[in-house]
Amino acid sequence: MADGITISFAPVGRGGSGDLVVFAGDDLVLGSAAREVLGSAGADLIARAAPGEKFKGRSLSALVLPAPAGVDADRLVVVGVGSEKDRAKLEWPVLGGFTAGKVSGRPARVVLDWPGAAVTPENAADFALGARLRAYSFDRYKTKKKPDADDAGTTALTLMLAGHAQAEQAAAAAAAVAEGVTLARDLINEPPNVLTPEEFARRAAALTRLGVEVEVLEPARMRELGMGALLAVAQGSAREPRVVVMRWNGGPAGEAPVAFIGKGVVFDSGGVSIKSAGGMEDMKGDMGGAAAVVGTLHALAARKARVNAVGAIGIVENMPDGAAFRPSDIVTSMSGQTIEVINTDAEGRLVLADVLWHVQGACKPKLMIDLATLTGAIIVALGQDIAGLFSNDDDLAGKLHATGELVGERVWRMPLIPAYDKAIDSKFADMKNTGGRHGGAATAAAFIKRHVNDVPWAHLDIAGVGMSSTASEINRSWGAGWGVRLLDRLVRDHYEAR
Ligand code: BES
Ligand code: MN
Ligand code: ZN
């Protein structure tokens, strides 16, 4: 099991120990710094060994050799970065993740240079971010560690490049983002007997250490505020709900904040409309939206982002018991609107409705983005690699889409048309909490929209990306912490004061 990672920066030099990593393009072309560090013996060894190992320098392939005499290293690791065209598409975090995977558990010096192009400090920081994310594993509950496992030990990377001082500076911000993603992953992976709503709130409250103002609302206060929808979901659980409002004031005093709102269902049994047993254990991840919000606030505060940002999460457990809410109940949300409960498993929208309403009134945000593992339907529509985006604002939607492409946390815009809104009209109340089988993700979004005023708003349905994630170069964990890098970068590129 990996024991984590340390990353430092240095000028390019020949002396050292551990593994030595260089990059090679198609036809094994090396950058000038790599040629210098390797000397003729190194370059010669690569040229002779590559054909037998079928190594052609293809993007994200690797050749591992014992280092030749004259090269100060144990192993020589050659990482392929492909043709010029491949290199233009190669994402730096992905390359960092791939490389960290190749030298996992070992000390390694990485010659960060590139055949035919300069590596910027920004590139180096992104590389470091990917390496950090790759090194994450959630092994808190494994009592038997395997000392001889491939990746046992700490990965210790020294990134060697010309602009190492500037790279180090850029990497400090990237490390803050990595911490935010790590925090989100820990929260998602944690089991619900440990991560109760109360415990979740405690962990969010730890952000005060970074200068975040944290307000925790308990049930009595929620009742005063009229959060009847959220409280209905919580009432079947032995564990009290919490609402946590986090404020990071890094921007100009008095400027309206950007607000992020997360669904935090620590376990979703479905309630009285109980889910089937198969796969129900995955529903510990039904708080992935809230985890992303806490992780984002951590990242913003840790890198002292010049922005005013609010994070608000509704944390509940959805359980069936004698006190549980039931299909046919009618509840009143904080907005004053009444909701007929058709299915207690459509609980996330009830939680979001009250938290969104509270944020609009209490924080007067300039925009709101909510994240929620809201519907199985979005997984049917888009799969596990892209999140559904619903928005009342083309500008915000465009920014989210572009940022998603940039960081590799992609979103796809879905429609919000009156037909979806009509589908949630109720016979008995102002609305009902499901809109039937068709367009399940869209009718859920329409429900949320009924709790949003004029403020620009986007809803990210992250049921597919927020949990049981597919392994990638930058993630080996069940919980990927999806959304932290997206929101952090959105802020950095569009909402930070210069
Ligand atoms: N948390 C689930 C959605 C979900 C499903 C997330 C699978 C991740 C993986 C949500 O609360 C839910 O149960 N939604 C229902 C809504 C339905 C009852 C209208 C669904 O999608 O089936
Ligand atoms: Mn549910
Ligand atoms: Zn749910």
Side-chain angles (χ1 to χ4, degrees):
M1 235 151 287
D3 295 323
I5 187 165
T6 63
I7 298 180
S8 58
F9 292 83
V12 181
R14 298 190 59 146
S17 58
D19 290 347
L20 181 68
V21 181
V22 298
F23 300 107
D26 273 354
D27 306 320
L28 308 181
V29 290
L30 300 168
S32 57
R35 280 200 306 272
E36 194 187 306
V37 172
L38 287 174
S40 55
D44 192 49
L45 176 71
I46 294 172
R48 278 185 295 122
E53 299 291 331
K54 296 200 163 47
F55 179 77
K56 298 196 175 83
R58 242 180 301 121
S59 187
L60 301 184
S61 64
L63 173 68
V64 181
L65 302 165
V71 173
D72 274 345
D74 305 331
R75 304 188 309 171
L76 176 57
V77 179
V78 188
V79 171
V81 291
S83 66
E84 218 177 303
K85 231 168 111 189
D86 296 333
R87 292 200 287 278
K89 275 190 308 199
L90 194 56
E91 294 166 20
W92 281 93
V94 171
L95 182 64
F98 179 83
T99 303
K102 290 292 156 193
V103 298
S104 180
R106 312 168 64 93
R109 288 172 299 134
V110 182
V111 183
L112 263 191
D113 86 333
W114 216 223
V119 175
T120 67
E122 204 46 45
N123 296 154
D126 279 343
F127 182 95
L129 172 61
R132 286 185 197 284
L133 296 181
R134 173 59 174 260
Y136 174 89
S137 72
F138 186 79
D139 49 19
R140 194 165 291 176
Y141 299 102
K142 298 274 198 186
T143 63
K144 298 180 186 64
K145 316 268 175 194
K146 299 193 185 99
D148 296 331
D150 264 7
D151 58 350
T154 302
T155 310
L157 298 184
T158 306
L159 307 185
M160 305 193 296
L161 73 163
H164 66 97
Q166 296 94 306
E168 190 162 1
Q169 231 171 53
V177 178
E179 274 174 23
V181 177
T182 297
L183 172 57
R185 286 179 179 179
D186 280 346
L187 290 167
I188 296 166
N189 289 323
E190 203 66 92
N193 59 327
V194 173
L195 195 75
T196 61
E198 207 183 324
E199 172 63 14
F200 199 145
R202 247 195 308 276
R203 294 197 188 184
L207 294 189
T208 46
R209 194 167 42 82
L210 299 173
V212 177
E213 273 172 37
V214 182
E215 181 191 7
V216 179
L217 310 186
E218 299 189 354
R221 179 74 187 127
M222 294 179 214
R223 274 191 291 277
E224 273 172 27
L225 289 168
M227 295 184 165
L230 185 152
L231 285 165
V233 177
Q235 78 193 31
S237 170
R239 294 167 169 140
E240 282 186 355
R242 292 288 184 269
V243 167
V244 181
V245 182
M246 297 156 276
R247 293 181 175 85
W248 168 248
N249 299 314
E255 190 175 282
V258 296
F260 307 120
I261 292 92
K263 168 181 173 182
V265 178
V266 295
F267 183 71
D268 180 12
S269 69
V272 167
S273 313
I274 199 162
K275 289 179 183 295
S276 53
M280 202 199 274
E281 69 277 13
D282 281 354
M283 285 303 129
K284 73 169 181 176
D286 207 18
M287 31 55 71
V293 169
V294 175
T296 300
L297 267 283
H298 179 107
L300 295 176
R303 69 174 183 78
K304 300 200 167 36
R306 287 154 301 179
V307 68
N308 294 335
V310 166
I313 56 179
I315 325 172
V316 303
E317 184 182 41
N318 187 20
M319 294 290 270
D321 88 346
F325 76 139
R326 52 187 95 56
S328 75
D329 279 1
I330 294 177
V331 302
T332 304
S333 76
M334 190 177 166
S335 71
Q337 302 173 94
T338 56
I339 302 162
E340 181 191 8
V341 177
I342 301 296
N343 189 320
T344 64
D345 198 10
E347 85 296 343
R349 63 200 73 182
L350 296 171
V351 173
L352 285 174
D354 280 340
V355 181
L356 281 162
W357 197 263
H358 178 60
V359 167
Q360 284 174 121
C363 309
K364 305 278 184 287
K366 70 167 145 209
L367 62 89
M368 298 198 292
I369 300 173
D370 76 73
L371 295 89
T373 48
L374 204 65
T375 68
I378 202 67
I379 313 179
V380 174
L382 298 177
Q384 285 206 278
D385 297 303
I386 187 161
L389 161 66
F390 296 85
S391 182
N392 63 4
D393 189 273
D394 292 345
D395 177 61
L396 178 58
K399 284 174 172 149
L400 276 165
H401 182 264
T403 308
E405 297 294 318
L406 205 60
V407 304
E409 289 185 335
R410 306 173 65 200
V411 304
W412 194 258
R413 191 163 182 189
M414 306 287 280
L416 275 171
I417 55 169
Y420 301 132
D421 184 74
K422 195 161 184 317
I424 54 170
D425 282 338
S426 158
K427 259 201 301 277
F428 299 106
D430 296 335
M431 71 194 83
K432 53 187 179 181
N433 79 330
T434 64
R437 235 163 49 78
H438 296 168
T443 53
F447 182 97
I448 297 168
K449 187 165 185 280
R450 288 205 191 189
H451 296 85
V452 173
N453 288 329
D454 307 331
V455 53
W457 154 77
H459 157 59
L460 295 171
D461 193 334
I462 63 168
V465 295
M467 62 170 94
S468 70
S469 307
T470 44
S472 75
E473 295 300 346
I474 59 169
N475 176 50
R476 302 276 134 166
S477 159
W478 186 80
W482 193 100
V484 175
R485 290 187 303 122
L486 173 70
L487 297 180
D488 176 78
R489 187 63 183 263
L490 181 81
V491 168
R492 182 173 125 192
D493 286 355
H494 298 291
Y495 301 107
E496 272 194 76
R498 305 267 151 212

